[in-house]
Amino acid sequence: IMGMPTFCFWEQLVDLFPDARVILTVRDEDDWWESVKHAEALMHRDLPGAPLRYGSLMRSFEAYLMPSYHRLCEVLRFAWAATLGAHALEGESVNENIARSSYRKHNSY
């Protein structure tokens, strides 16, 4: 199993399936950070309502006008927050210090 959102709760899956094999891929931290920034920019540019931004008026509109899209955005926000740190999405863009700290913690396994 791989991908979103299963990477957010892989530890619980290992608890349920202790004989499962886990493959942790590690990449250069700076390359990873550039990839995060690129993905964030694409979402802000290509998806309506900038789904990663918390507290925006668009979130209210998306919930009311496009409930299915709102649910997708909630999954995106959950996955990014779980991966990058709960407070990494506060503000206008992903917090680099919090995200890098979460990256290092994840790779310390």
Side-chain angles (χ1 to χ4, degrees):
I1 299 175
M2 62 177 269
M4 184 180 70
T6 54
F7 61 76
C8 299
F9 48 86
W10 69 270
E11 292 163 310
Q12 290 83 356
L13 290 171
V14 169
D15 288 344
L16 289 171
F17 303 99
D19 294 330
R21 294 184 180 168
V22 176
I23 300 171
L24 173 64
T25 56
V26 180
R27 56 194 289 198
D28 177 75
E29 184 175 326
D30 292 328
D31 291 342
W32 171 83
W33 175 244
E34 288 302 316
S35 176
V36 168
K37 289 192 314 184
H38 180 71
E40 178 189 28
L42 290 176
M43 278 192 263
H44 287 329
R45 187 191 76 205
D46 295 340
L47 294 177
L52 294 182
R53 292 187 179 146
Y54 280 88
S56 72
L57 183 58
M58 288 300 292
R59 287 184 67 195
S60 298
F61 288 130
E62 82 185 19
Y64 181 71
L65 298 174
M66 302 176 288
S68 297
Y69 179 72
H70 177 69
R71 286 190 291 279
L72 169 67
C73 290
E74 289 295 300
V75 170
L76 284 172
R77 287 186 277 265
F78 167 78
W80 277 64
T83 304
L84 302 177
H87 299 290
L89 297 177
E90 294 175 353
E92 286 298 308
S93 63
V94 175
N95 182 301
E96 181 175 358
N97 291 331
I98 295 172
R100 283 181 181 263
S101 175
S102 295
Y103 175 85
R104 288 183 204 116
K105 179 182 175 203
H106 176 77
N107 286 332
S108 69
Y109 279 95

